[in-house]
Amino acid sequence: MPNQLLLEKYARLAVKTGVNVQPGQIVVLRTTTEAVELSRAVAKEAYKAGAKRVYFIWTDEKVSRYGYDYAKTEDLAEFPEWNVAQYKYFVEQGACFISIVSPVPHALAGVDSSKMQTVVSTMTKAIQFFREHTMGNKTQWTIVAASNKAWAKELFPDLDEAVAEEKLWDAIFKATRVNHETDPVEVWKEHNANLARQNKILNDANFKSLHFTNSLGTDLVVELIQDHVWAGGAEHAGNGALFNPNIPTEESFTMPYKFGTQGKVVATKPLAYQGKIIKDFWLEFKDGRVVDFDAKYEKEALQSILDFDYNARSIGEIALIGHDSPISNMNILFLNTLYDENASCHMALGRAYPMNIKNGNDTPIAELEKKGYNNSLVHVDFMFGSADMQIVGKKQDGTEVIVFKNGNFAI
Ligand code: ZN
Ligand code: ZN
């Protein structure tokens, strides 16, 4: 059981800072049965903040598993019109979206990858308009996490389930700056201002490319798209409301040029993907595409990401985070991207965020693609930062600047 006062503060943070619910706005809560308590707390705070209605979309890990085990692929893959209509309604009504993630490790271990691929791919295609709507920041959206027994036990195997669950809640509160002493909504205003300062330094530098190297074998040049924008922290939605897409967040991120990544990147943290944990992997890029890769564990799952669609082999995001960040310093491997990506430099295979190029949110995707924007149905982040990461930035005039030294910002 999490501390009730902290849980309320955390829920308020998701509502006020995460989506910044506007009076009379519909709130859609996409959540899991692992997070019933937090879901209720968020719904309460959303109504208190003036939400018109709070709608729930629930998932349950066990029920999903039963589907994969016993149902036919073609039946599972059907994404009915009424389900699409629901998302259309939310988009048309200008709803904002809160996702609560509470992963159950290994929940889908052993499930046939191709079956899962078909199901996920059908759903993703059916509601692609919804994904474009949120990723294009047309409305406010946010992701927060909730502790659960299975997840906590995986992270702290030596502890009792209940103690582990509590310990994971403590880590979540710490990472999200929720405590008894301060008002997290105020604390986040300051945090957002700090990230904005960091973004400004990177935007002013206007690098042509970044060269990453470390002792694990990463030797990678990432060319940035022309007119790229470094973002991170708070964003403006289409309706003008300021919101935080991720809680927590520590990153400054931008858009790579689709054809401009060269060399090898070695992952430094496992990647949890659809209930599987991909470990000890590397990717080799040529002209922006993955041409070779390997993984010691769950290579097949990595392969299924890369083969999701044609552009899943190119990257859509490059993010810088100092190794000396609050989440990194906790030294916990959360086995969840929302947390682990904020402990380490990372990149994403697949779709780019339009906001990471000037006027991107107001430009048709087809126009952005002509400039080297990567359009894909997937966006999968993986971590490759390390304590000895060096980054050298090359400016448009060819001069070089040390951006990272020994894993941390040097500019
Ligand atoms: Zn990121
Ligand atoms: Zn990402």
Side-chain angles (χ1 to χ4, degrees):
M1 284 281 278
N3 179 289
Q4 288 308 301
L5 281 174
L6 294 185
L7 193 76
E8 277 170 29
K9 279 190 166 185
Y10 182 49
R12 197 171 143 259
L13 181 69
V15 167
K16 291 282 196 185
T17 305
V19 285
N20 186 9
V21 175
Q22 303 295 297
Q25 193 173 24
I26 288 174
V27 176
V28 179
L29 195 47
R30 303 202 303 157
T31 185
T32 137
T33 49
E34 300 295 330
V36 172
E37 250 191 306
L38 178 62
S39 302
R40 286 184 184 136
V42 166
K44 184 178 173 186
E45 291 298 330
Y47 277 122
K48 277 166 70 182
K52 179 181 172 185
R53 279 291 298 271
V54 180
Y55 291 103
F56 278 79
I57 298 175
W58 289 101
T59 53
D60 179 272
E61 295 282 352
K62 286 214 170 93
V63 173
S64 302
R65 167 95 220 193
Y66 299 149
Y68 283 120
D69 284 347
Y70 303 116
K72 289 193 194 116
T73 307
E74 61 266 34
D75 292 338
L76 280 182
E78 191 194 321
F79 198 79
E81 200 43 53
W82 64 262
N83 219 331
V84 177
Q86 171 182 244
Y87 280 93
K88 278 196 182 132
Y89 172 83
F90 292 145
V91 168
E92 281 161 15
Q93 295 290 313
C96 61
F97 299 86
I98 301 176
S99 295
I100 300 179
V101 295
S102 191
V104 177
H106 314 296
L108 299 175
V111 168
D112 175 8
S113 287
S114 67
K115 191 173 192 179
M116 218 146 75
Q117 180 90 344
T118 311
V119 174
V120 176
S121 154
T122 319
M123 185 188 96
T124 312
K125 279 177 197 149
I127 55 167
Q128 202 196 341
F129 66 92
F130 164 71
R131 190 133 168 95
E132 279 177 10
H133 183 73
T134 50
M135 277 188 83
N137 288 350
K138 306 289 184 220
T139 190
Q140 319 100 283
W141 57 278
T142 197
I143 310 175
V144 297
S147 175
N148 71 54
K149 289 194 170 66
W151 183 19
K153 187 72 183 164
E154 181 82 9
L155 306 193
F156 312 114
D158 301 334
L159 300 179
D160 270 2
E161 269 190 349
V163 179
E165 189 185 11
E166 182 89 41
K167 186 169 167 158
L168 179 52
W169 271 120
D170 288 345
I172 287 173
F173 292 145
K174 195 167 175 191
T176 55
R177 298 169 160 82
V178 171
N179 55 49
H180 286 287
E181 294 75 33
T182 56
D183 174 0
V185 176
E186 290 303 315
V187 171
W188 270 73
K189 281 182 187 157
E190 199 184 316
H191 178 49
N192 279 328
N194 289 337
L195 286 170
R197 261 194 296 278
Q198 187 171 290
N199 294 334
K200 186 174 185 311
I201 292 170
L202 292 164
N203 281 325
D204 288 348
N206 189 27
F207 290 115
K208 175 148 180 61
S209 64
L210 299 173
H211 185 187
F212 299 81
T213 48
N214 70 9
S215 61
L216 288 164
T218 289
D219 187 350
L220 184 81
V221 174
V222 176
E223 189 177 333
L224 304 180
I225 201 162
Q226 282 278 336
D227 295 325
H228 64 267
V229 175
W230 288 91
E235 299 293 338
H236 279 284
N239 60 6
L242 203 61
F243 73 103
N244 267 88
N246 286 187
I247 291 181
T249 187
E250 304 290 336
E251 64 180 305
S252 284
F253 64 100
T254 196
M255 194 189 300
Y257 172 56
K258 181 181 172 181
F259 307 102
T261 304
Q262 313 279 356
K264 186 177 182 178
V265 61
V266 180
T268 47
K269 285 175 189 285
L271 167 60
Y273 179 72
Q274 293 179 354
K276 303 199 175 170
I277 294 167
I278 306 163
K279 272 199 244 186
D280 298 337
F281 62 101
W282 57 264
L283 305 168
E284 176 97 35
F285 288 86
K286 193 169 182 295
D287 300 332
R289 279 182 75 75
V290 174
V291 289
D292 198 7
F293 68 96
D294 200 7
K296 258 194 200 139
Y297 303 92
E298 301 284 5
K299 185 177 177 182
E300 207 184 299
L302 180 58
Q303 173 107 43
S304 76
I305 299 172
L306 294 169
D307 292 343
F308 202 97
D309 57 21
Y310 183 78
N311 288 334
R313 283 187 181 245
S314 298
I315 60 172
E317 176 191 346
I318 182 80
L320 306 185
I321 290 133
H323 196 72
D324 194 16
S325 81
I327 297 173
S328 172
N329 287 339
M330 271 193 260
N331 251 322
I332 297 171
L333 181 64
F334 287 88
L335 297 173
N336 174 261
T337 302
L338 177 64
Y339 275 73
D340 292 328
E341 77 168 2
N342 280 302
S344 173
C345 288
H346 60 266
M347 62 175 71
L349 290 163
R351 190 181 197 87
Y353 288 94
M355 72 171 128
N356 285 131
I357 184 167
K358 278 177 195 151
N359 302 318
N361 284 336
D362 304 318
T363 309
I365 297 287
E367 287 300 306
L368 295 180
E369 283 189 270
K370 285 182 198 153
K371 296 180 177 179
Y373 166 96
N374 195 40
N375 191 10
S376 165
L377 290 172
V378 291
H379 176 99
V380 180
D381 295 278
F382 67 91
M383 285 56 82
F384 69 96
S386 64
D388 67 344
M389 178 62 75
Q390 311 285 328
I391 309 175
V392 175
K394 193 185 261 182
K395 291 198 165 189
Q396 306 292 335
D397 65 3
T399 53
E400 295 192 338
V401 178
I402 295 175
V403 181
F404 259 48
K405 211 179 163 176
N406 296 325
N408 287 306
F409 276 99
I411 55 169

